[in-house]
Amino acid sequence: MYRKNCQKIIAISKSIRYAGVINEYGRTLTGIIQPGIKPILKPEDAKNEFFIVSNLITLRHVQSKAFGSLDHIVLQHKKATIVCVPDGNIVYYVSLNPSTTSLDGIIKKIKSVV
């Protein structure tokens, strides 16, 4: 199911570089790279990135009583934009080109898949 959702996410836009699912411990459950795209992170760096994101989501969950449940997170970098959408105990991790236009529209489409 997660793999099919990632395939649907990749199909949303050519601006999406990667779509994956990580669990609460930062372990990759599935992931798909857009064909023809060279990964930015080496495998070990990707493991570290996913661990950091899972910790961030877990720590934010603690504040959900005050702020309400977390809808999504956007991390804007020079080389990529990262969108994280939590869904229960997992997180959809989506990397996009930094020049992506209509980011809000893409986020809405990602959430409709999730």
Side-chain angles (χ1 to χ4, degrees):
M1 179 181 93
Y2 296 142
R3 185 141 185 96
K4 286 183 180 181
N5 286 348
C6 287
Q7 289 169 337
K8 290 176 186 176
I9 291 170
I10 285 284
I12 290 171
S13 170
K14 289 289 185 190
S15 295
I16 296 176
R17 300 177 54 84
Y18 171 84
V21 177
I22 57 176
N23 68 13
E24 65 226 283
Y25 306 107
R27 185 169 199 152
T28 303
L29 302 178
T30 190
I32 301 173
I33 297 173
Q34 185 78 258
I37 297 291
K38 182 182 176 200
I40 294 174
L41 298 175
K42 296 175 186 169
E44 189 62 32
D45 294 334
K47 285 181 185 179
N48 292 335
E49 168 72 2
F50 298 152
F51 180 72
I52 291 166
V53 167
S54 68
N55 281 325
L56 173 65
I57 299 288
T58 300
L59 291 171
R60 294 302 312 154
H61 182 70
V62 173
Q63 301 304 324
S64 65
K65 288 182 181 176
F67 293 112
S69 62
L70 180 63
D71 188 61
H72 68 277
I73 294 174
V74 176
L75 301 167
Q76 187 73 47
H77 296 274
K78 287 186 179 183
K79 294 184 178 181
T81 298
I82 310 300
V83 176
C84 300
V85 180
D87 183 29
N89 289 335
I90 57 117
V91 175
Y92 283 86
Y93 180 100
V94 182
S95 172
L96 299 102
N97 290 326
S99 60
T100 302
T101 57
S102 67
L103 185 60
D104 288 337
I106 290 175
I107 292 170
K108 284 179 187 177
K109 289 178 182 178
I110 291 169
K111 289 193 285 188
S112 74
V113 170
V114 174

